[in-house]
Amino acid sequence: MPTPSQPQARLADQYDPQAIEREAQAFWESARSFRSTEDPSRPKFYCLSMFPYPSGKLHMGHVRNYTIGDVLARYHRMRGANVLQPMGWDAFGLPAENAAMANNVPPAKWTRENIGTMKAQLRSLGFALDWERELATCDPRYYVWNQWLFTRLFRKGLAYKKTGVVNWDPVDQTVLANEQVIDGRGWRTGAPVEKREIPMYFLRITAYAEELLAALEELPGWPEQVKLMQKNWIGKSEGVRLAFPYELDSEKKLLWVFTTRADTLMGATFCAVAAEHPIAAWAARRDPRIAAFVEECKRGAVMEADLAQLEKKGMPAGLSCTHPISGKQVAVWVANYVLMGYGEGAVMAVPAHDERDFAFAREYGLPIQPVIRHPAGDKVPAPWKPEYAEYGACINSGKYDGLPYQDAVDAIAADLKAKGLGEKQVQWRLRDWGISRQRYWGCPIPIVHCPACGDVPVRDGELPVRLPEHLVPDGTGNPLAKLPEFYETSCPACSKPARRETDTMDTFVDSSWYFARYACPDQAGAMLDERARYWMPVDQYIGGIEHAILHLLYSRFFQRLMRDEGLLEVSEPFTNLLTQGMVLADSYYFDTPEGRRDWVHPSEVEVERDAKGKIVAAKKGDGTPVVFDGIGTMSKSKNNGVDPQALIDKYGADTARFYIIFASPPTNTLEWSDESVEGSYRFLKRLWTYCARLEKPGAQMVDHPAKATRFEIHSVLKQANYDLSKHQFNTVASAAMKILNALERFAGGRNKVTEEGLSILLRLLSPITPHVCHHLWRALEFGKQFPEAGEDVMRAPWPEPDPAALEQDEVELVVQVNGKLRGSIRVPRAADRPAIEGLALANPNVQKFVAGQKVKKVVVVPGRLVNLVV
RNA sequence: GCCGGAAUGGCGGAACUGGUAGACGCGCCGGACUCAAAAUCCGGUGCUGGCGACAGCGUGAGGGUUCGAGUCCCUCUUCCGGCACCA
């Protein structure tokens, strides 16, 4: 492709980032440098960063995410790949409704304005994005395919209706998101939140549980940590489903429980059921105290984190059931620690070998019967010890005595099966995905409720079910449910009057397949087309670690749903995953005389240091002392956010990008420091000044040998290339600094060594700071040496170290005595072991520590060290 | 509570596969330039002792394996992420 002709850039004396960034961006724009097309002749590289929620302005987390992605995209482009790097908007969601309520602006308008602002910001950062593929999930041309797929899943039974539990605000008469529940109360009303069961649509992700789990093994490009979290989340456990018979109103019934510890069955001394269990409901009808307890359990929010920290409480249900093996009667309790949503909503309690049951039994004086020989003995005296839960041989268990874990489980399961009271079963922690939201700003669920035909999916020809965009929610439920024009419709099957579903989809649905749609965002006739088969899977996905479970698991699930619709072949959407850490900043406050706590922005804080540079005090500009409150995520409430725009305005995009890459490896948290940003700016200025001086006639004296300089530059490059392969970009930025240091020490004019070194430096650095490298490459006319690149450093080949430059005649070896460093020796590269030992022993400082002692052993690590053991 | 991480100078971080701890940068100290300041440039900088060559100590705490541990194993502490309706 021809590069657009522009006047040859001259190198000004001063680094002016705003001017050169404008120029570089104009160059890329007119050359359409980042547009990607399908090209089967080249290896493709689909590089994707998680798309942002258009919250208003870009925040530092976005800048970090997209800078990391951009470095990867540009690097792979220079290595010859056909790179796709798209961008779009996760545009449905709760914040738009909150903003709408606060400002009386429809979410649609607010969202679209935010997209405009953030898109301009992304452009100013110079990311190599193919904007021709931009999409927004609130666009009917996008969400129509959510709806289309949903109707397919509904017909297959993979989408279905059942009741689910939600947070209910009794004052606003509305469903609350978990984040809208603060200390058990509604955020706007302050009313205690209640649990409420409502009908919802679910996606049958459990049908894919086995595959989602097994396929984790085939994801070598994912961090182990994320795979482990997903594995635990899916939570496959093999156990026994078994029944305790009981009689209710002279009717014979079975209380089913699931256990992974069937070997402890003979120690089951009671059973416990969830407050939502039918037995609890029955007991509540007979006994007002139980009714009150069940009510108490139903109060509060639905968050598992909160439930898990509740004090374990229970009440006897006034019922007993029969132990399936021993035939003894055991009591049934209603307990708040049993979850209706997991397993059978009931458990057999073995207090001797389960910590929760142990605590519960001791609290309520229930029998504790040890049945396993554990490392701490045969008895289980209080307090609880973790050993009690370990595997061991059965005791006090009649015919099962002496059997180890697996044999006991097998024998007990066989006996239960013979009685028709149980069998082995696989149990999953993973639950089906409830996607219904009683909210306005989301994708409408394409179902019509007909009094005669039931729930009928909207016909393809009627899709999309358009979301009216003019509404402003008021916090009292979904405005769609108050809009007859929306919900009044006719049945797709019988044409009689019917009511349209007014719930919208979880926004996780939108984000579970957007990555595939980028391949063909303009395709109006299908969800995906053959271009998706070219680009998918994503070769590199980059995003926050906070998405390690839900978003990534749902996306893996959707990829399979699309595969099973015949839309794609591959099962896994993301071949390689990079989880980036959060961006943190210091926070400072002072308490006002009125007793208010004011948070002071870190940029307004002056610190006082001691002679060593350690911070001893901090104050505001006006002298008010402030308290350092530690380091944490950037947030409005602590007034410690750094605005990317201000940073770009002051230093330019390249400094922002360089700092973000340099400050920390991508997977770590990044702790913000304005002073370090200055350092990054300083480096780019130094690079500029070095190049500007090279341009001037009259080379300076060479004061460093060329061979040593080349060795240094090529060694650094070798390490940098290794670091790039490990995605450790902070040391690549360091490498660029080291190369500039070496060139400055060499201090020649334009000659073979500086020319080579600088071309390496500009290419190595260009993915991180593309604007300044683009400009310097053109100004210094490196296109003459790299005709294939011409004026565009991005088209230059990636630099590789020259093996000849890495050769050395001598190497330095460290000499240790008993593992302690005592000196070093220089030896010829090919020196043999006796020669090395001789030189090591001859070192005078080494002699001091070996003198008069016998050397028992000599360890020689080639190229590294000699260790003399005395 | 459960699941998953992290911890190295005054600060961010580096250290290959168990082999010189502190690369690179920030900050700080000293110097050059300047009427002065900013900017820039040069030198120093883990802690303790010593004029010094050097020595002792040192990677959150405690133990272990090894010729040798920031790195491997065990126990613990603190901080961070997720927990299904924030995205």
Side-chain angles (χ1 to χ4, degrees), chain A residues 709-722:
Chain A
T709 301
R710 286 197 80 222
F711 175 76
E712 199 174 346
I713 291 173
H714 286 267
S715 312
V716 168
L717 173 61
K718 187 181 175 194
Q719 183 65 42
N721 279 342
Y722 176 75

Side-chain angles (χ1 to χ4, degrees), chain A residues 841 850 853-858 867-870:
Chain A
L841 277 164
V850 199
Q853 293 172 88
K854 191 170 168 257
V855 177
K856 283 185 270 187
K857 186 175 173 183
V858 182
N867 188 12
L868 307 168
V869 185
V870 297

Side-chain angles (χ1 to χ4, degrees), chain A residues 24 94 111 242 261 273 277 352 360 392 411 477 496 547 590 701 716 735 745 750 764:
Chain A
L94 202 51
T111 302
L242 59 99
R261 289 300 303 269
V273 300
H277 194 278
F360 193 87
K496 288 198 192 112
H547 295 291
F590 69 96
M701 292 300 293
V716 168
R745 269 197 299 279
R750 286 193 86 153
L764 183 67

Side-chain angles (χ1 to χ4, degrees), chain A residues 32 34-36 129-135 521-522:
Chain A
R32 295 173 93 185
F34 310 130
R35 193 173 61 132
S36 341
L129 294 166
D130 183 355
W131 282 107
E132 293 175 40
R133 295 169 183 268
E134 179 181 6
L135 58 79
D522 53 357

